[in-house]
Amino acid sequence: MELELRHLRTVRAIADTGSLTKAAATLGLAQPALSAQLRRIEKALGGTLFERDHTGARATPLGELVLERARVVLPAVSELQAEAVRFANATGPLERFRLGGTHGPLLGGLVDRIATANPAAPVSTYTSWSVDEIAALTIDGRLDFALIGTCGESPPPLAERLVWEVVGVDPVFVMLPEDHPLAGEKELELAALADQCWADVPGDGCFADCFATACARAGFTPVSVYETDTSSVVHLVQVGRAIGLCRATFPPVPGLVTRPLAGAPLSWRHLLGWHPHSPAADAAAGAVAGQTRTAYAEAVSRSPGYAQWLAENPRFGLVS
């Protein structure tokens, strides 16, 4: 029998779990089948790889040697596969723009600017609630650029494999009906909204936990939080069913107002990402990053109240 990659994955699974039973569950095999496979692997390698007793499985010196090599070979093969997929999906020189984004305020502006600057280049978009999905598609070469948001200082996904550039940092504002008793305030204490229901747009990351923590610090637990799409958030606020949570760059909506929270307890970072070895990398370093910043600046300019707030809070806004 010749040693195959699946055999190395089997050995690593046994070592990682410390048990044939657990390794079998991880690999989706019956334990007798895994035991038989291990015997065949040991026969091919000329010795015992694991000492087994009632406490589990521990690698022998030969097993440690095999594991040392497996920890090098398996990631290298995975990276080779990823590079091949990325190469197959690449187009050489950037003659099209494939943009992926979460449901934020900048994607439309970026599409408009890229299409204007590159009238002969097709521009396509893909949106998802999941920043992990957008990042994975960028890794695979199915997207050229990823435009996402992350809560506070939380790291973007796959930060070790993608280049991420921070475009801007926004506080999280609240969205109220214009006839709400607090709509006329310049800024609101979070505690003043303790008896309200809330609505926001769902997504990956820690925002829900950060919001719950901010409420706890303000002395209350939210009555309820509706996680839904942007149009439904707007509707729930319009009919007085909830207070909305939104980025400060949220565009004006008739009948609604947005107001900052005192002390800016919640923040949101806008990031542009790309793969460092993709055809998009050269373009990202200059034109697309610049266009994204311009799209962000335009989004800020459409919210006069936010532009004024930024003048008093310079730690937020456009990142140079």
Side-chain angles (χ1 to χ4, degrees):
M1 183 188 78
E2 292 187 357
L3 195 65
E4 301 175 12
L5 289 176
R6 62 190 179 92
H7 299 142
L8 294 181
R9 293 190 181 98
T10 295
V11 173
R12 190 177 66 177
I14 296 170
D16 289 346
T17 61
S19 160
L20 263 68
T21 301
K22 294 177 181 177
T26 299
L27 296 169
L29 299 173
Q31 183 175 338
L34 180 62
S35 297
Q37 185 180 101
L38 177 59
R39 286 194 297 271
R40 290 194 296 271
I41 295 170
E42 290 178 329
K43 182 178 180 181
L45 293 175
T48 302
L49 299 182
F50 294 96
E51 295 177 352
R52 288 174 279 166
D53 57 27
H54 67 281
T55 63
R58 295 174 302 282
T60 64
L62 176 59
E64 292 289 355
L65 173 66
V66 174
L67 284 166
E68 182 181 347
R69 300 296 190 272
R71 292 184 180 113
V72 174
V73 170
L74 291 175
V77 171
S78 295
E79 182 61 24
L80 171 61
Q81 183 176 2
E83 290 287 346
V85 170
R86 190 161 50 249
F87 182 86
N89 284 287
T91 60
L94 202 62
E95 298 175 351
R96 62 180 176 179
F97 294 84
R98 298 167 300 172
L99 311 178
T102 48
H103 297 257
L106 304 185
L107 185 58
L110 180 57
V111 169
D112 181 43
R113 296 199 64 78
I114 289 178
T116 300
N118 304 272
V123 180
S124 61
T125 60
Y126 178 82
T127 59
S128 171
W129 298 116
S130 171
V131 295
D132 292 334
E133 181 185 4
I134 295 295
L137 291 172
T138 307
I139 286 287
D140 287 346
R142 292 181 171 87
L143 293 173
D144 300 310
F145 302 102
L147 187 60
I148 68 166
T150 61
C151 176
E153 295 298 320
S154 60
L158 299 172
E160 72 284 359
R161 300 182 65 188
L162 295 175
V163 175
W164 291 102
E165 193 165 303
V166 180
V167 175
V169 182
D170 289 337
V172 174
F173 278 15
V174 293
M175 185 193 308
L176 309 164
E178 61 182 5
D179 59 355
H180 190 281
L182 298 175
E185 299 292 327
K186 181 180 178 180
E187 68 176 14
L188 301 175
E189 295 288 343
L190 186 56
L193 302 167
D195 60 345
Q196 302 288 322
C197 296
W198 299 84
D200 66 11
V201 175
D204 296 333
C206 61
F207 182 76
D209 292 336
C210 290
F211 176 58
T213 299
C215 293
R217 288 173 178 164
F220 71 96
T221 299
V223 175
S224 64
V225 180
Y226 302 108
E227 289 193 333
T228 184
D229 61 275
T230 302
S231 295
S232 295
V233 170
V234 169
H235 176 76
L236 290 170
V237 176
Q238 287 174 327
V239 300
R241 181 65 61 185
I243 301 297
L245 293 165
C246 64
R247 301 165 185 85
T249 46
F250 192 82
V253 176
L256 300 182
V257 298
T258 59
R259 294 290 182 264
L261 289 167
L266 299 165
S267 63
W268 196 258
R269 294 189 301 160
H270 302 279
L271 298 105
L272 179 70
W274 61 91
H275 194 285
H277 304 304
S278 71
D282 291 339
V288 175
Q291 288 162 340
T292 308
R293 287 188 169 81
T294 302
Y296 175 82
E298 290 173 344
V300 171
S301 70
R302 289 192 291 269
S303 178
Y306 182 37
Q308 181 179 353
W309 186 90
L310 280 177
E312 302 171 4
N313 298 270
R315 69 187 179 94
F316 291 95
L318 186 67
V319 175
S320 308

